[in-house]
Coordinates of all heavy atoms in Angstrom, one line a residue:
M769 N -1.9 11.1 -9.6 CA -1.6 10.0 -8.6 C -1.8 10.3 -7.2 O -1.2 11.5 -6.9 CB -0.2 9.3 -8.9 CG 0.1 8.4 -7.7 SD 1.8 7.6 -7.7 CE 2.5 8.1 -9.2
T770 N -2.4 9.7 -6.2 CA -2.5 10.2 -4.9 C -1.1 9.8 -4.3 O -0.5 8.7 -4.4 CB -3.6 9.4 -4.2 OG1 -4.8 9.7 -4.9 CG2 -3.7 9.8 -2.8
I771 N -0.6 10.7 -3.4 CA 0.7 10.5 -2.7 C 0.2 10.7 -1.1 O -0.3 11.6 -0.7 CB 1.7 11.5 -3.0 CG1 2.0 11.3 -4.5 CG2 2.9 11.3 -2.2 CD1 3.1 12.3 -5.0
F772 N 0.7 9.7 -0.4 CA 0.4 9.7 1.1 C 1.7 10.0 1.8 O 2.7 9.3 1.3 CB -0.2 8.4 1.6 CG -1.6 8.2 1.0 CD1 -1.8 7.5 -0.1 CD2 -2.7 8.6 1.7 CE1 -3.1 7.2 -0.7 CE2 -4.0 8.5 1.2 CZ -4.2 7.7 0.0
V773 N 1.7 10.7 2.8 CA 3.0 11.1 3.5 C 2.9 10.5 4.9 O 1.9 10.5 5.6 CB 3.1 12.6 3.7 CG1 4.5 13.0 4.4 CG2 3.2 13.2 2.2
F774 N 4.0 9.7 5.3 CA 4.1 9.1 6.6 C 5.5 9.4 7.1 O 6.4 9.7 6.4 CB 4.0 7.6 6.5 CG 2.5 7.2 6.0 CD1 2.4 6.8 4.7 CD2 1.6 7.0 7.0 CE1 1.0 6.5 4.3 CE2 0.3 6.6 6.6 CZ 0.0 6.4 5.2
Q775 N 5.7 9.3 8.4 CA 7.0 9.3 9.1 C 7.6 8.1 9.2 O 6.8 7.0 9.5 CB 6.9 10.1 10.5 CG 6.1 11.4 10.5 CD 6.9 12.6 9.7 OE1 8.1 12.5 9.6 NE2 6.2 13.5 9.2
R776 N 9.0 8.0 9.2 CA 9.5 6.7 9.5 C 9.1 6.3 10.9 O 9.3 7.2 11.9 CB 11.0 6.8 9.4 CG 11.6 6.8 8.0 CD 13.1 6.8 7.9 NE 13.6 5.4 8.4 CZ 14.4 5.4 9.4 NH1 15.1 6.4 10.0 NH2 14.9 4.2 9.7
G777 N 8.8 5.1 11.2 CA 8.5 4.6 12.6 C 7.0 4.7 12.9 O 6.7 4.4 14.1
E778 N 6.2 5.2 12.0 CA 4.8 5.3 12.3 C 4.2 4.1 11.4 O 4.7 3.6 10.4 CB 4.2 6.6 12.1 CG 3.8 7.0 10.7 CD 3.0 8.3 10.6 OE1 2.3 8.6 11.4 OE2 3.3 9.0 9.6
T779 N 3.0 3.7 11.8 CA 2.2 2.7 11.1 C 1.7 3.2 9.8 O 1.1 4.3 9.8 CB 1.0 2.2 11.9 OG1 1.5 1.7 13.1 CG2 0.2 1.2 11.1
I780 N 2.0 2.6 8.6 CA 1.4 3.0 7.3 C 0.2 2.3 7.2 O 0.2 1.0 7.2 CB 2.5 2.6 6.3 CG1 3.8 3.3 6.5 CG2 2.0 2.9 4.9 CD1 5.0 2.9 5.6
S781 N -0.8 2.9 7.1 CA -2.2 2.2 6.9 C -3.0 2.9 5.7 O -3.1 4.1 5.7 CB -3.0 2.4 8.2 OG -4.3 1.6 8.2
L782 N -3.4 2.1 4.8 CA -4.2 2.7 3.6 C -5.4 1.8 3.5 O -5.5 0.6 3.9 CB -3.3 2.4 2.4 CG -1.9 3.0 2.4 CD1 -1.1 2.5 1.2 CD2 -2.0 4.6 2.4
A783 N -6.5 2.5 3.0 CA -7.7 1.7 2.8 C -7.9 1.4 1.3 O -7.6 2.3 0.4 CB -9.0 2.6 3.1
L784 N -8.2 0.2 1.0 CA -8.5 -0.3 -0.3 C -9.9 -0.6 -0.4 O -10.3 -1.6 0.2 CB -7.6 -1.5 -0.7 CG -7.9 -2.1 -2.1 CD1 -7.7 -1.1 -3.2 CD2 -6.9 -3.3 -2.3
D785 N -10.7 0.2 -1.1 CA -12.2 -0.1 -1.2 C -12.7 -1.0 -2.2 O -12.0 -1.0 -3.3 CB -13.0 1.2 -1.4 CG -12.8 2.3 -0.3 OD1 -12.5 1.9 0.8 OD2 -13.0 3.4 -0.5
A786 N -13.7 -1.8 -2.1 CA -14.1 -2.8 -3.0 C -15.2 -1.9 -3.7 O -16.3 -1.8 -3.2 CB -14.8 -4.0 -2.4
V787 N -14.9 -1.3 -4.9 CA -15.8 -0.4 -5.6 C -16.9 -1.0 -6.3 O -17.9 -0.6 -6.7 CB -15.0 0.7 -6.4 CG1 -14.2 1.6 -5.5 CG2 -14.1 0.0 -7.4
T788 N -16.6 -2.4 -6.9 CA -17.6 -3.0 -7.7 C -17.5 -4.6 -7.2 O -16.4 -5.0 -6.7 CB -17.4 -3.0 -9.1 OG1 -16.0 -3.5 -9.4 CG2 -17.5 -1.6 -9.6
G789 N -18.5 -5.3 -7.4 CA -18.6 -6.7 -7.1 C -18.5 -6.9 -5.6 O -18.7 -6.1 -4.7
D790 N -18.5 -8.2 -5.3 CA -18.6 -8.8 -3.9 C -17.2 -9.1 -3.4 O -16.6 -9.9 -4.0 CB -19.5 -10.0 -3.9 CG -19.6 -10.6 -2.6 OD1 -19.1 -10.1 -1.6 OD2 -20.2 -11.8 -2.5
P791 N -16.7 -8.3 -2.4 CA -15.4 -8.6 -1.9 C -15.2 -9.9 -1.4 O -14.0 -10.4 -1.3 CB -15.3 -7.6 -0.7 CG -16.6 -6.9 -0.4 CD -17.5 -7.2 -1.7
L792 N -16.2 -10.6 -1.1 CA -16.1 -12.1 -0.6 C -15.7 -13.0 -1.7 O -15.3 -14.1 -1.5 CB -17.4 -12.5 0.1 CG -17.8 -11.8 1.4 CD1 -19.1 -12.3 1.9 CD2 -16.7 -11.8 2.5
S793 N -15.9 -12.5 -3.0 CA -15.5 -13.4 -4.1 C -14.0 -13.3 -4.4 O -13.5 -14.1 -5.2 CB -16.3 -12.9 -5.3 OG -15.9 -11.7 -5.8
V794 N -13.2 -12.4 -3.7 CA -11.9 -12.3 -3.8 C -11.1 -13.5 -3.2 O -11.5 -13.8 -2.0 CB -11.2 -11.0 -3.2 CG1 -9.7 -11.0 -3.2 CG2 -11.8 -9.7 -4.0
T795 N -10.4 -14.3 -4.0 CA -9.7 -15.5 -3.5 C -8.4 -15.2 -2.9 O -8.0 -15.8 -1.9 CB -9.6 -16.6 -4.5 OG1 -9.0 -16.1 -5.7 CG2 -11.1 -17.0 -4.9
V796 N -7.6 -14.2 -3.4 CA -6.3 -13.9 -3.0 C -6.1 -12.4 -3.1 O -6.4 -11.8 -4.1 CB -5.1 -14.7 -3.8 CG1 -3.8 -14.3 -3.3 CG2 -5.3 -16.2 -3.7
I797 N -5.4 -11.7 -2.1 CA -5.1 -10.4 -2.2 C -3.7 -10.2 -1.6 O -3.4 -10.7 -0.5 CB -6.2 -9.4 -1.7 CG1 -5.8 -8.1 -1.8 CG2 -6.3 -9.7 -0.2 CD1 -6.8 -7.0 -1.5
S798 N -2.8 -9.6 -2.2 CA -1.6 -9.1 -1.7 C -1.2 -7.7 -2.1 O -1.8 -7.1 -3.1 CB -0.5 -10.0 -2.2 OG -0.4 -10.0 -3.7
A799 N -0.4 -7.1 -1.3 CA 0.0 -5.7 -1.7 C 1.5 -5.4 -1.1 O 1.8 -6.1 -0.1 CB -0.9 -4.7 -1.0
A800 N 2.2 -4.6 -1.9 CA 3.6 -4.4 -1.5 C 3.9 -2.9 -2.1 O 3.3 -2.3 -2.7 CB 4.5 -5.5 -2.2
M801 N 5.1 -2.5 -1.4 CA 5.6 -1.3 -1.9 C 7.1 -1.4 -2.3 O 7.7 -2.3 -1.7 CB 5.4 -0.1 -0.8 CG 5.9 -0.4 0.5 SD 5.5 0.7 1.8 CE 6.8 1.9 1.8
K802 N 7.6 -0.6 -3.3 CA 8.9 -0.7 -3.8 C 9.4 0.8 -3.7 O 8.6 1.8 -3.9 CB 9.0 -1.1 -5.2 CG 8.7 -2.7 -5.3 CD 8.9 -3.1 -6.7 CE 8.9 -4.6 -7.0 NZ 9.1 -5.0 -8.4
A803 N 10.7 0.9 -3.4 CA 11.3 2.3 -3.5 C 11.6 2.8 -4.9 O 11.7 2.1 -5.8 CB 12.6 2.3 -2.8
V804 N 11.2 4.1 -5.0 CA 11.5 4.9 -6.3 C 12.7 5.4 -6.3 O 13.2 6.2 -5.4 CB 10.4 6.0 -6.5 CG1 10.7 6.6 -7.9 CG2 9.0 5.3 -6.5
A805 N 13.7 5.0 -7.3 CA 15.0 5.5 -7.3 C 15.1 7.0 -7.5 O 14.1 7.5 -8.3 CB 15.8 4.8 -8.5
P806 N 16.0 7.7 -7.0 CA 16.1 9.1 -7.2 C 16.1 9.5 -8.7 O 16.7 8.8 -9.5 CB 17.5 9.5 -6.6 CG 17.7 8.4 -5.5 CD 17.1 7.2 -6.2
G807 N 15.3 10.6 -9.0 CA 15.3 11.0 -10.3 C 14.3 10.2 -11.2 O 14.1 10.5 -12.4
R808 N 13.6 9.2 -10.7 CA 12.6 8.4 -11.4 C 11.3 8.6 -10.9 O 11.0 9.2 -9.8 CB 13.0 6.9 -11.3 CG 14.4 6.5 -11.6 CD 14.6 5.7 -12.8 NE 13.4 5.1 -13.3 CZ 13.4 4.1 -14.1 NH1 14.5 3.5 -14.4 NH2 12.3 3.5 -14.6
T809 N 10.3 8.3 -11.8 CA 8.9 8.4 -11.3 C 8.1 7.0 -11.4 O 7.0 6.9 -11.0 CB 8.1 9.4 -12.4 OG1 8.2 8.8 -13.6 CG2 8.7 10.7 -12.2
S810 N 9.0 6.0 -11.7 CA 8.3 4.6 -11.6 C 9.4 3.7 -10.9 O 10.5 4.1 -10.7 CB 8.0 4.1 -13.0 OG 9.2 4.1 -13.9
V811 N 9.0 2.4 -10.8 CA 9.9 1.5 -10.2 C 10.2 0.4 -11.3 O 9.4 0.2 -12.1 CB 9.2 0.6 -9.0 CG1 9.1 1.8 -7.8 CG2 7.9 0.0 -9.4
S812 N 11.4 -0.3 -11.1 CA 11.8 -1.2 -11.9 C 11.1 -2.6 -11.6 O 10.9 -2.8 -10.4 CB 13.3 -1.4 -11.8 OG 13.8 -2.6 -12.3
A813 N 10.8 -3.4 -12.5 CA 10.3 -4.6 -12.3 C 11.1 -5.5 -11.4 O 10.7 -6.4 -10.7 CB 9.8 -5.2 -13.6
T814 N 12.4 -5.2 -11.5 CA 13.4 -6.1 -10.7 C 13.7 -5.5 -9.4 O 14.5 -6.0 -8.7 CB 14.6 -6.4 -11.6 OG1 15.3 -5.0 -12.0 CG2 14.4 -7.0 -13.0
A815 N 13.2 -4.3 -9.1 CA 13.4 -3.7 -7.8 C 12.9 -4.5 -6.6 O 11.9 -5.1 -6.8 CB 12.9 -2.3 -7.7
P816 N 13.6 -4.6 -5.6 CA 13.2 -5.5 -4.5 C 12.0 -4.8 -3.8 O 11.9 -3.6 -3.8 CB 14.4 -5.6 -3.6 CG 15.1 -4.3 -3.9 CD 15.0 -4.1 -5.3
V817 N 11.1 -5.7 -3.2 CA 10.0 -5.2 -2.4 C 10.6 -4.6 -1.2 O 11.3 -5.3 -0.5 CB 9.0 -6.3 -2.1 CG1 8.0 -5.9 -1.1 CG2 8.3 -6.8 -3.5
A818 N 10.3 -3.4 -0.9 CA 10.7 -2.7 0.3 C 9.9 -3.3 1.6 O 10.5 -3.3 2.6 CB 10.6 -1.3 0.2
A819 N 8.5 -3.4 1.3 CA 7.7 -3.8 2.4 C 6.5 -4.5 1.9 O 5.9 -4.0 0.8 CB 7.4 -2.8 3.3
A820 N 6.0 -5.6 2.5 CA 4.7 -6.2 2.1 C 3.8 -5.7 3.2 O 4.0 -5.6 4.3 CB 4.9 -7.8 2.1
F821 N 2.5 -5.4 2.7 CA 1.4 -5.1 3.6 C 0.8 -6.2 4.3 O 0.6 -7.3 3.6 CB 0.4 -4.2 2.7 CG 0.9 -3.0 2.3 CD1 1.5 -2.8 1.2 CD2 0.7 -1.8 3.1 CE1 1.9 -1.4 0.8 CE2 1.1 -0.5 2.8 CZ 1.7 -0.3 1.6
N822 N 0.4 -6.1 5.5 CA -0.6 -7.0 6.1 C -1.9 -6.5 5.7 O -2.1 -5.4 5.6 CB -0.4 -6.9 7.7 CG 0.9 -7.4 8.1 OD1 1.4 -8.4 7.7 ND2 1.6 -6.7 9.0
I823 N -2.8 -7.5 5.4 CA -4.0 -7.1 4.8 C -5.2 -7.6 5.6 O -5.1 -8.9 6.0 CB -4.2 -7.8 3.3 CG1 -3.2 -7.1 2.5 CG2 -5.7 -7.3 2.9 CD1 -3.0 -7.7 1.2
A824 N -6.1 -6.8 6.0 CA -7.3 -7.2 6.8 C -8.6 -6.8 6.2 O -8.6 -5.7 5.7 CB -7.3 -6.5 8.2
P825 N -9.6 -7.7 6.1 CA -10.8 -7.3 5.4 C -11.6 -6.3 6.4 O -11.3 -6.2 7.5 CB -11.5 -8.7 5.3 CG -11.0 -9.7 6.3 CD -9.5 -9.1 6.5
R826 N -12.3 -5.5 5.6 CA -13.2 -4.4 6.3 C -14.5 -4.5 5.8 O -14.8 -4.5 4.6 CB -12.4 -3.1 5.9 CG -13.0 -1.9 6.7 CD -12.5 -0.5 6.1 NE -13.0 -0.4 4.8 CZ -12.3 -0.1 3.8 NH1 -11.0 0.1 3.8 NH2 -12.9 0.1 2.6
I827 N -15.5 -4.6 6.7 CA -16.9 -4.6 6.3 C -17.5 -3.3 6.0 O -16.9 -2.2 6.6 CB -17.8 -5.3 7.4 CG1 -17.7 -4.6 8.7 CG2 -17.4 -6.8 7.5 CD1 -18.8 -5.1 9.7
A828 N -18.5 -3.1 5.3 CA -19.1 -1.8 5.1 C -19.7 -1.3 6.3 O -20.1 -2.0 7.1 CB -20.2 -1.8 3.9
S829 N -19.5 0.1 6.5 CA -20.1 0.8 7.7 C -20.4 2.3 7.2 O -19.5 3.1 7.0 CB -19.0 0.7 8.9 OG -19.5 1.4 10.0
G830 N -21.7 2.4 7.3 CA -22.2 3.9 7.0 C -21.7 4.2 5.5 O -22.1 3.4 4.6
D831 N -21.0 5.2 5.3 CA -20.5 5.6 4.1 C -19.3 5.0 3.6 O -18.9 5.2 2.5 CB -20.3 7.2 4.1 CG -21.6 8.0 4.1 OD1 -22.7 7.4 3.8 OD2 -21.6 9.2 4.5
V832 N -18.7 4.2 4.4 CA -17.4 3.6 4.2 C -17.7 2.2 3.4 O -18.5 1.4 4.1 CB -16.6 3.4 5.4 CG1 -15.3 2.6 5.1 CG2 -16.2 4.7 6.1
P833 N -17.3 2.0 2.3 CA -17.6 0.6 1.7 C -16.8 -0.4 2.1 O -15.7 -0.3 2.8 CB -17.2 1.0 0.2 CG -16.2 2.0 0.1 CD -16.5 2.8 1.3
A834 N -17.2 -1.6 1.9 CA -16.4 -2.9 2.2 C -15.0 -2.8 1.5 O -14.9 -2.0 0.4 CB -17.0 -4.1 1.9
G835 N -14.1 -3.4 2.0 CA -12.7 -3.5 1.3 C -11.8 -4.1 2.3 O -12.1 -5.1 3.0
W836 N -10.6 -3.6 2.2 CA -9.4 -4.0 3.0 C -8.5 -2.9 3.6 O -8.5 -1.8 3.0 CB -8.5 -4.9 2.1 CG -9.3 -6.1 1.5 CD1 -9.4 -7.4 2.0 CD2 -10.1 -6.0 0.3 NE1 -10.2 -8.1 1.1 CE2 -10.6 -7.3 0.1 CE3 -10.3 -5.0 -0.7 CZ2 -11.3 -7.6 -1.1 CZ3 -11.1 -5.2 -1.9 CH2 -11.6 -6.6 -2.0
T837 N -8.0 -3.1 4.7 CA -7.0 -2.2 5.2 C -5.6 -2.8 5.1 O -5.3 -3.9 5.4 CB -7.3 -1.9 6.8 OG1 -8.6 -1.5 7.0 CG2 -6.4 -1.0 7.5
L838 N -4.8 -2.1 4.5 CA -3.4 -2.5 4.1 C -2.5 -1.7 5.1 O -2.6 -0.5 5.3 CB -3.0 -2.0 2.8 CG -4.0 -2.4 1.6 CD1 -3.5 -1.8 0.3 CD2 -4.3 -3.8 1.6
T839 N -1.6 -2.5 5.9 CA -0.9 -2.0 6.9 C 0.6 -2.4 6.8 O 0.9 -3.7 6.6 CB -1.4 -2.4 8.3 OG1 -2.8 -2.0 8.3 CG2 -0.7 -1.8 9.4
V840 N 1.6 -1.6 7.0 CA 2.9 -1.9 7.4 C 3.2 -1.3 8.8 O 2.9 -0.2 9.1 CB 3.9 -1.1 6.4 CG1 5.4 -1.4 6.8 CG2 3.7 -1.7 4.9
G841 N 3.5 -2.2 9.6 CA 3.7 -1.8 11.0 C 4.8 -0.8 11.3 O 5.7 -0.7 10.5
A842 N 4.7 -0.1 12.5 CA 5.6 0.8 12.9 C 7.2 0.4 12.8 O 8.0 1.0 12.5 CB 5.3 1.4 14.2
A843 N 7.3 -0.9 13.5 CA 8.6 -1.4 13.6 C 9.3 -1.6 12.1 O 10.4 -1.2 12.0 CB 8.6 -2.7 14.3
Q844 N 8.5 -2.0 11.3 CA 9.0 -2.3 9.8 C 9.2 -0.9 9.1 O 10.2 -0.8 8.4 CB 8.0 -3.1 9.0 CG 8.5 -3.6 7.6 CD 7.6 -4.5 7.0 OE1 6.6 -4.8 7.4 NE2 8.1 -5.0 5.9
S845 N 8.3 0.0 9.4 CA 8.4 1.3 8.8 C 9.7 2.0 9.3 O 10.3 2.7 8.6 CB 7.1 2.1 9.1 OG 7.3 3.5 9.0
A846 N 10.0 1.8 10.5 CA 11.2 2.4 11.0 C 12.5 1.9 10.3 O 13.5 2.5 10.3 CB 11.3 2.1 12.5
L847 N 12.4 0.8 9.8 CA 13.6 0.2 9.1 C 13.7 0.7 7.7 O 14.8 0.4 7.0 CB 13.5 -1.4 9.1 CG 13.5 -2.0 10.5 CD1 13.3 -3.5 10.3 CD2 14.8 -1.7 11.3
L848 N 12.7 1.3 7.1 CA 12.7 1.8 5.7 C 13.4 3.0 5.6 O 13.3 3.9 6.4 CB 11.3 1.9 5.2 CG 10.6 0.6 5.1 CD1 9.1 0.9 4.7 CD2 11.1 -0.4 4.1
P849 N 14.3 3.2 4.6 CA 14.9 4.6 4.4 C 13.8 5.7 4.0 O 12.8 5.4 3.3 CB 15.9 4.4 3.3 CG 15.9 3.1 2.8 CD 14.7 2.3 3.6
A850 N 14.1 7.0 4.5 CA 13.1 7.9 4.0 C 13.3 8.0 2.4 O 14.4 7.8 1.9 CB 13.5 9.3 4.7
G851 N 12.1 8.4 1.8 CA 12.2 8.4 0.4 C 10.9 8.3 -0.2 O 9.9 8.3 0.5
H852 N 10.8 8.0 -1.5 CA 9.5 7.9 -2.3 C 9.4 6.4 -2.6 O 10.3 5.7 -3.1 CB 9.5 8.8 -3.5 CG 9.6 10.1 -3.2 ND1 8.7 10.9 -2.6 CD2 10.7 11.1 -3.4 CE1 9.2 12.2 -2.4 NE2 10.4 12.3 -2.9
Y853 N 8.2 6.1 -2.5 CA 7.7 4.6 -2.8 C 6.5 4.5 -3.6 O 5.7 5.4 -3.6 CB 7.5 3.8 -1.4 CG 8.7 3.7 -0.6 CD1 9.1 4.7 0.4 CD2 9.5 2.6 -0.6 CE1 10.2 4.6 1.1 CE2 10.6 2.4 0.2 CZ 11.0 3.5 1.0 OH 12.0 3.4 1.8
L854 N 6.3 3.5 -4.3 CA 5.1 3.2 -5.0 C 4.5 1.9 -4.5 O 5.3 1.0 -4.2 CB 5.1 3.0 -6.6 CG 5.4 4.4 -7.3 CD1 5.6 4.0 -8.9 CD2 4.5 5.3 -7.2
A855 N 3.2 1.9 -4.3 CA 2.5 0.6 -3.8 C 1.3 0.3 -4.8 O 0.7 1.2 -5.3 CB 2.1 0.8 -2.4
D856 N 1.1 -1.1 -4.8 CA -0.2 -1.4 -5.3 C -0.7 -2.8 -4.8 O 0.0 -3.3 -4.1 CB -0.1 -1.5 -7.0 CG 0.9 -2.5 -7.6 OD1 1.3 -3.4 -6.7 OD2 1.4 -2.3 -8.7
A857 N -1.8 -3.2 -5.2 CA -2.4 -4.4 -4.7 C -2.7 -5.4 -5.9 O -3.1 -4.9 -7.0 CB -3.5 -4.2 -3.8
R858 N -2.6 -6.6 -5.6 CA -2.8 -7.7 -6.7 C -4.0 -8.4 -6.1 O -4.0 -9.1 -5.1 CB -1.7 -8.6 -6.9 CG -1.9 -9.6 -8.0 CD -0.7 -10.4 -8.2 NE -0.7 -11.3 -9.4 CZ -1.4 -12.4 -9.5 NH1 -1.9 -12.9 -8.4 NH2 -1.3 -13.1 -10.6
I859 N -5.2 -8.5 -6.9 CA -6.4 -9.1 -6.4 C -6.8 -10.2 -7.4 O -6.9 -10.0 -8.6 CB -7.5 -8.1 -6.2 CG1 -7.1 -6.9 -5.4 CG2 -8.9 -8.8 -5.9 CD1 -8.0 -5.8 -5.4
E860 N -6.9 -11.4 -6.9 CA -7.5 -12.6 -7.7 C -9.0 -12.8 -7.4 O -9.4 -13.0 -6.3 CB -6.7 -13.8 -7.5 CG -5.2 -13.7 -7.9 CD -4.5 -15.0 -7.6 OE1 -5.1 -16.1 -7.6 OE2 -3.2 -14.9 -7.5
V861 N -9.7 -12.6 -8.5 CA -11.2 -12.9 -8.3 C -11.8 -13.4 -9.5 O -11.5 -13.0 -10.8 CB -11.9 -11.5 -8.0 CG1 -11.7 -10.5 -9.1 CG2 -13.3 -11.6 -7.8
G862 N -12.6 -14.5 -9.4 CA -13.4 -15.1 -10.6 C -12.4 -15.6 -11.6 O -12.7 -15.5 -12.7
G863 N -11.3 -16.1 -11.2 CA -10.3 -16.7 -12.2 C -9.4 -15.6 -12.9 O -8.7 -15.9 -13.8
G864 N -9.7 -14.3 -12.6 CA -8.9 -13.3 -13.2 C -8.1 -12.5 -12.1 O -8.1 -12.8 -11.0
V865 N -7.2 -11.7 -12.7 CA -6.3 -10.9 -11.8 C -6.6 -9.3 -12.1 O -6.7 -8.9 -13.2 CB -4.9 -11.2 -12.1 CG1 -3.9 -10.3 -11.3 CG2 -4.6 -12.7 -11.7
I866 N -6.6 -8.6 -11.0 CA -6.8 -7.2 -11.0 C -5.6 -6.5 -10.3 O -5.3 -7.0 -9.2 CB -8.1 -6.7 -10.5 CG1 -9.3 -7.4 -11.2 CG2 -8.1 -5.1 -10.4 CD1 -10.6 -7.1 -10.4
I867 N -4.9 -5.6 -10.9 CA -3.8 -4.9 -10.2 C -4.2 -3.4 -10.0 O -4.6 -2.8 -11.1 CB -2.4 -5.1 -10.9 CG1 -2.0 -6.5 -10.9 CG2 -1.5 -4.2 -10.2 CD1 -0.8 -6.9 -11.6
T868 N -4.3 -3.0 -8.8 CA -4.8 -1.7 -8.7 C -3.9 -0.6 -9.2 O -2.7 -0.9 -9.5 CB -5.0 -1.4 -7.1 OG1 -3.7 -1.5 -6.5 CG2 -5.9 -2.3 -6.5
E869 N -4.3 0.6 -9.3 CA -3.5 1.7 -9.7 C -2.5 1.9 -8.7 O -2.7 1.7 -7.4 CB -4.2 3.0 -9.9 CG -5.3 3.1 -11.1 CD -4.7 3.1 -12.4 OE1 -3.5 3.8 -12.4 OE2 -5.0 2.5 -13.3
S870 N -1.3 2.3 -9.0 CA -0.3 2.6 -8.0 C -0.6 3.8 -7.3 O -1.2 4.7 -7.8 CB 1.1 2.8 -8.7 OG 1.6 1.7 -9.4
I871 N -0.1 3.8 -6.0 CA -0.2 5.1 -5.1 C 1.1 5.4 -4.7 O 1.9 4.4 -4.6 CB -1.3 4.8 -4.0 CG1 -0.7 3.7 -3.1 CG2 -2.6 4.7 -4.4 CD1 -1.1 4.0 -1.6
G872 N 1.3 6.7 -4.5 CA 2.6 7.2 -4.0 C 2.7 7.2 -2.5 O 1.6 7.6 -1.9
I873 N 3.8 6.9 -2.0 CA 4.0 7.0 -0.6 C 5.4 7.7 -0.3 O 6.3 7.3 -1.0 CB 4.1 5.7 0.2 CG1 2.7 5.0 0.0 CG2 4.5 5.9 1.7 CD1 2.8 3.5 0.6
T874 N 5.3 8.9 0.4 CA 6.5 9.5 0.9 C 6.9 9.3 2.3 O 5.8 9.4 3.0 CB 6.4 11.0 0.5 OG1 6.3 11.2 -0.8 CG2 7.6 11.7 1.1
L875 N 8.0 8.7 2.5 CA 8.3 8.4 3.9 C 9.4 9.3 4.4 O 10.4 9.5 3.8 CB 8.9 6.9 4.0 CG 9.0 6.3 5.3 CD1 7.7 6.3 6.0 CD2 9.5 4.9 5.1
R876 N 9.1 10.2 5.3 CA 9.9 11.3 5.7 C 10.6 10.8 7.0 O 10.1 10.1 7.8 CB 9.0 12.5 6.1 CG 8.5 13.2 4.8 CD 7.9 14.4 5.0 NE 7.5 15.1 3.7 CZ 6.5 16.0 3.7 NH1 5.9 16.3 4.8 NH2 6.1 16.4 2.6
E877 N 11.9 11.5 7.2 CA 12.5 11.2 8.5 C 11.7 11.8 9.6 O 11.4 12.9 9.5 CB 13.9 11.7 8.4 CG 14.9 11.3 9.5 CD 15.1 9.8 9.5 OE1 15.4 9.3 8.5 OE2 14.8 9.2 10.6
S878 N 11.6 11.1 10.8 CA 10.8 11.7 11.8 C 11.8 12.4 12.8 O 12.9 12.1 12.9 CB 9.9 10.6 12.6 OG 11.0 9.7 13.1
V879 N 11.4 13.4 13.5 CA 12.0 14.1 14.4 C 12.2 13.4 15.8 O 13.1 13.4 16.4 CB 11.5 15.6 14.6 CG1 12.2 16.3 15.6 CG2 11.5 16.2 13.2
T880 N 11.1 12.8 16.1 CA 11.0 12.3 17.4 C 11.3 10.8 17.6 O 10.9 10.2 18.6 CB 9.6 12.4 18.1 OG1 8.7 11.8 17.2 CG2 9.2 13.8 18.2
A881 N 12.0 10.2 16.6 CA 12.3 8.7 16.5 C 13.1 8.4 17.7 O 13.3 8.0 18.5 CB 12.9 8.4 15.2

C-alpha cells in the first residue's frame, strides 16, 4: 500500500488517474479518509469520516492521464489529529460502482504551525 505523508495544516492533495475507460462517463465520484485506530491496520466500517475530499476533474496533459485531483484544504487539515488514516474513492460509472484501493495517509504534527 502506498503511504503519503503530510503535515497538519498543509493541503492534502492526491491524484486519482483514470486508468481505463472514459472519465467523462463517471456520473458520481466521492472520496473520504478515516483515522486508523492505534494498533490497527484497517478502519472500522462504523468509524466516522475524518475528512471528505474536494474533487476536481483533471484533463490529460503530456504523460499525465486524465483523472481527478482529491484535496483536503489546509484549514481542515489543521483540525485533524496527527496519526494514520486510510482513504479511498467511490466511483459510479455505467450503472456500476468501483471503489479504489485504499491508500495510507500519515499526518504529522508540524513544527511551524
Side-chain angles (χ1 to χ4, degrees):
M769 170 185 353
T770 302
I771 299 175
F772 295 92
V773 178
F774 296 93
Q775 305 293 331
R776 285 186 67 234
E778 79 173 325
T779 302
I780 299 170
S781 185
L782 304 169
L784 177 60
D785 296 338
V787 292
T788 60
D790 179 4
L792 296 177
S793 65
V794 171
T795 55
V796 178
I797 182 170
S798 61
M801 57 191 269
K802 291 182 176 185
V804 177
R808 306 252 343 202
T809 58
S810 61
V811 294
S812 164
T814 59
V817 169
F821 288 88
N822 295 314
I823 301 170
R826 187 187 71 233
I827 61 170
S829 177
D831 291 337
V832 177
W836 303 268
T837 301
L838 313 177
T839 306
V840 172
Q844 188 176 8
S845 163
L847 298 174
L848 297 171
H852 301 287
Y853 296 82
L854 288 180
D856 63 22
R858 183 179 192 278
I859 302 166
E860 293 183 27
V861 59
V865 173
I866 300 166
I867 298 178
T868 64
E869 292 289 325
S870 295
I871 60 147
I873 296 173
T874 297
L875 195 57
R876 294 188 177 152
E877 193 61 54
S878 62
V879 175
T880 58

